[in-house]
Amino acid sequence: MGKITEGSLEWYRTVLNQIISSDMTIYQNQKDCLDLLLNMNIDLPFNENQEARKMAMKVSQYSHNIAEKCAALTGSGDFDDIYWQYLLLESPHLLDSYAMYIEKDRKPEERFYLPRRRTLKKVVDKLQALEEDELDELFLHQPARTGKSQIITVGTAWHCARDSEISNLYVTYKEGLGGAFLDGVMEIWTDPTYCHEDVFHSKIARTDAKNHKVDLERKKKYATLSGKGLESGLNGEYDAYGWLILDDILEGIQDVLNPDILRRKQIVFDNNVMSRKKEQCKLILNGTIWSLHDLYMDRLSFLQNNPEAKHIRYDVLKIPALDPETDESNFDYDYGVGFSTKYYRTIRSKFEENDDMAGWLAQYQQEPIERDGALFNAQHMNFYNGQLPDEEPLKVVSACDVALGGSDYLAMPVAYVYEDGSVYIHEVVFDNSEKKFTMPKVVSAIVNNKVTNAFFEANAGGEGYKDEVEGKLKEQGYQTNLTSKYAQQMILNNGGHAPKSAVRKEQRIWDNAENIRKFYFLDTGYQNAEYRKFMNNVYSFTMTGKNKHDDAPDSLASLAVFLKNGSGVGTVTATQNPLWGRR
């Protein structure tokens, strides 16, 4: 290894490590670190030297976090000032720092980004990955009025200023909104309440209000940024070399419910919009997923299933209104600028009352459910408040659709069956984790509910899974009747014909839908996160479209067949907890 020369990358690395290993709560050490980073940017310009930039940004972020804490603890203006200097250094290179810095002169409660940062930082990180060429396409989905379009506006202002020579195009459902987006970007560039000029000395060279174009630094054939409506026409004047942003390209549910409109917009998108995209251009698809057949899902399906698209690096970021695990709001922002858990739960209850869970799941949870062809609708199903009937059940059975991890879910409903024939789905296991995580759940559900008979579909390793579950039950001194069969054999035993594998599940679910609708399911307010996921999967099943996952309805179909075939009253031998529990 050669001698380390002053001003080299290794020299800066050594000196910076010495500084940050010292006490960074001392102001002079903070100042020495910042001065060294500023000198480094002269010797090894960050916009040219990627390795130097990455190292400098890591050090700067570490230092500014400590400076921020010191400013809050001590009230020292010196620490506060150096914190903003660090952010200024980072802002040309890090969108997160830029979004914070440009609002530094605003009152905290009047800022857009910081009150929302704990959620929107996820979006910012994905946009940063696009800019760093770690992604080619990005899908962003979150509810209305939660800041999704404004954070795209901030990101676009930063992106365009970083390289004003490249062309960028913003497309939405309405022409006028394209102009409004440009106004928002230009406001960040020009309004003195933003500190954009500290970061980039951007000069607007041309604005074209009629055609919604703006150029930075110089007038160009293809504008720095253009904003258009989806169906307004994109001729040779419009081009996308940097970012092509598709923001709410469907106006709303009215587009989705009209097949002719949806088909026309898909043709316009494929033929007009995508023809403006250069090969190296990054694609941002931002908006509500209204349907499994809308423009966003059509594009995602192409990326997932077409071998010609396997080279395209994409990511999907969904931020639902209520977190599926906690049922708490993801947008309860500071200073009351967001939406509380109570607010979203109230909205959800109104959708439930109107029997339109499809609308709630699409608009608020970013989970599209097909109204057309949906086999299961809350309006035609039975629910209960978590309290089982007073009498002891005739039997407790379960049916397990086995999965061993990956994209498929292991689905196992536990059913309490009574003398009058009523069936209560009191608990479910619904998990796409590996076997080592799902098996304890399955065993626990069987033991805690005193399951008398359990069926395991033999497909996808179900036979071996059943045997392992049986072994673990015996270790606990719990004996029950476990059986397994292949799906085809179940259908034949039930008097049907075993169809091809591509339609086997759909046919079985269709054949047993009427019986499934007679089951009693927990009301929404009594469901845990896993139960909610299970029910969403049930509602999303459609007979007219693609079903990415049908594990929950398939497990219910297995349960229905299991019950129809008798499933036996069965007996249980347990050495612990012999009494029936009520939860």
Side-chain angles (χ1 to χ4, degrees), residues 560-580:
V561 173
F562 192 42
L563 291 170
K564 192 183 302 183
N565 289 342
S567 70
V569 174
T571 57
V572 171
T573 303
T575 58
Q576 301 175 6
N577 300 322
L579 299 178
W580 285 99

Side-chain angles (χ1 to χ4, degrees), residues 56 107 110 122 128 171 269 291 348 358 490 505:
K107 295 178 181 179
E110 294 176 357
K122 299 173 186 176
Q128 185 77 40
V171 179
F269 170 72
S291 163
R348 180 176 64 189
M490 284 182 64
K505 284 188 177 183

Side-chain angles (χ1 to χ4, degrees), residues 26-131:
I26 298 174
Y27 174 75
Q28 187 58 49
N29 291 340
Q30 286 277 357
K31 190 174 186 307
D32 290 343
C33 181
L34 177 62
D35 289 343
L36 192 62
L37 289 170
L38 292 171
N39 287 334
M40 182 181 178
N41 196 19
I42 296 172
D43 293 339
L44 305 166
F46 299 156
N47 61 338
E48 299 173 6
N49 191 315
Q50 185 179 22
E51 188 176 358
R53 180 175 70 249
K54 286 186 175 181
M55 182 178 76
M57 293 302 102
K58 186 175 181 180
V59 171
S60 182
Q61 287 178 291
Y62 169 77
S63 301
H64 91 230
N65 284 331
I66 296 178
E68 182 183 26
K69 292 175 183 176
C70 290
L73 289 172
T74 66
S76 168
D78 288 341
F79 277 111
D80 188 55
D81 179 66
I82 206 165
Y83 162 77
W84 290 112
Q85 290 185 60
Y86 277 121
L87 284 187
L88 177 59
L89 173 69
E90 298 161 14
S91 289
H93 314 288
L94 301 178
L95 176 55
D96 181 51
S97 301
Y98 171 83
M100 289 189 287
Y101 181 84
I102 60 173
E103 295 188 289
K104 79 179 184 72
D105 290 345
R106 293 184 161 191
K107 295 178 181 179
E109 65 271 18
E110 294 176 357
R111 293 168 180 163
F112 164 74
Y113 184 54
L114 269 175
R116 300 167 174 83
R117 183 173 179 258
R118 65 175 175 268
T119 297
L120 294 187
K121 175 69 161 51
K122 299 173 186 176
V123 180
V124 164
D125 288 344
K126 297 299 182 184
L127 294 174
Q128 185 77 40
L130 276 182
E131 193 74 354

